Amino acid sequence: MSVLALEYPPINHLFDWPAFLFDGTALAVNKTVLIYVAATVATMLLFGLAGRPRQSLVPSGVQHVAESSVNFIEESVVMQTIGPDGRKFMPFLTSLFFFILFSNITEVIPGLQFPANSRMAVPMLLALLVWVIYNVVGVRSQGLLGYLKNSLFPPGVPKALYVLVTPIELVSTFVVRPFSLAIRLWANMVAGHLLLVTFAVLSAALWGATYVGAALTFPMLIAMTGFEILVSVLQAFIFTILTAVYIGGSMHPEH
């Protein structure tokens, strides 16, 4: 009776990629860096190509994709969270969505098979960028004292409860938000990557042992791949819409 051997790669092999250029320096380039560069280039190409003069009145191809995406961000994100004043943030929010999406979707691309956002550095950098933006917007829209007052002393709360509410709002608004943004994106991509690797290893092992076992696990691997595509899109959307919510809250405090 043969024993099924599962050779699961070490965790560090799943997330740590050795540098192949400028190793040991601050300019070291590895697989993760290349994915982020590719995501940046893909975002720029998408809207650069879409911005070319139209040959017809009806958009097609990349122009249709770009315009549909912009309309989606405007109607489903900006107008729902900020309002008409938020249209000036459309370039930032749209670029943010596609950069995160392209950085996530490499998880299911053969040859890459790694979501760059399963490394914490860039999700945390993006979250800190959002933190700076919504705080600057809040100060510019309400003034420094007005922004702090509306953030730490929400209207409608009994004054006696400010002893409890104010510390909670302080931590929530100025500390927790960037960490929650970054950790939500990072943790979901890590979990998805581990899940896909697990099913891939199991399918490969069963394929060598019994075709019946492989026939049971391989469709599950395909289904999990489809699910991770959905998660990649969803996490980009969640990060973008929460960014818009924070900006909208800074621009229009509750009364």
Side-chain angles (χ1 to χ4, degrees):
M1 181 177 179
S2 61
V3 178
L4 181 63
L6 295 177
E7 297 183 2
Y8 196 84
I11 294 295
N12 65 315
H13 288 184
L14 299 180
F15 296 99
D16 292 335
W17 299 97
F20 50 83
L21 287 175
F22 311 114
D23 191 14
T25 70
L27 300 177
V29 177
N30 60 8
K31 186 176 183 178
T32 308
V33 173
L34 289 182
I35 291 174
Y36 279 127
V37 171
T40 303
V41 172
T43 303
M44 295 173 65
L45 280 177
L46 173 62
F47 293 100
L49 294 174
R52 295 179 302 174
R54 292 185 185 178
Q55 301 300 321
S56 64
L57 294 177
V58 180
S60 61
V62 68
Q63 288 183 333
H64 178 70
V65 172
E67 290 192 14
S68 299
S69 302
V70 170
N71 289 334
F72 171 75
I73 296 296
E74 181 178 8
E75 297 298 329
S76 300
V77 177
V78 173
M79 299 304 294
Q80 298 296 325
T81 58
I82 305 176
D85 292 343
R87 287 195 176 98
K88 59 187 175 183
F89 294 101
M90 282 289 300
F92 170 66
L93 294 172
T94 306
S95 301
L96 182 67
F97 173 81
F98 277 99
F99 174 75
I100 295 175
L101 173 60
F102 289 143
S103 301
N104 290 345
I105 206 67
T106 51
E107 179 179 16
V108 298
I109 296 178
L112 293 177
Q113 297 170 313
F114 178 72
N117 288 324
S118 63
R119 299 295 299 271
M120 187 60 167
V122 171
M124 194 70 241
L125 178 63
L126 293 176
L128 290 174
L129 175 62
V130 171
W131 183 85
V132 170
I133 289 174
Y134 78 72
N135 280 303
V136 169
V137 169
V139 172
R140 291 185 63 182
S141 300
Q142 307 174 49
L144 178 59
L145 295 180
Y147 178 57
L148 292 176
K149 178 183 177 181
N150 288 318
S151 298
L152 303 179
F153 301 94
V157 177
K159 293 183 179 180
L161 293 180
Y162 281 142
V163 176
L164 296 175
V165 172
T166 298
I168 293 174
E169 291 295 328
L170 174 65
V171 173
S172 173
T173 302
F174 298 104
V175 179
V176 172
R177 281 184 181 180
F179 283 102
S180 64
L181 270 179
I183 291 173
R184 183 184 293 106
L185 174 60
W186 167 77
N188 276 280
M189 301 319 299
V190 166
H193 186 51
L194 292 176
L195 198 59
L196 283 182
V197 170
T198 300
F199 274 96
V201 170
L202 183 60
S203 297
L206 288 174
W207 187 267
T210 168
Y211 293 127
V212 175
L216 296 176
T217 58
F218 189 69
M220 191 63 179
L221 176 60
I222 295 176
M224 291 306 304
T225 301
F227 178 73
E228 284 307 311
I229 294 175
L230 176 62
V231 170
S232 297
V233 177
L234 186 61
Q235 288 305 312
F237 176 74
I238 290 174
F239 198 103
T240 304
I241 197 169
L242 285 177
T243 298
V245 168
Y246 298 155
I247 293 174
S250 297
M251 291 180 66
H252 309 295
E254 297 180 2
H255 295 284

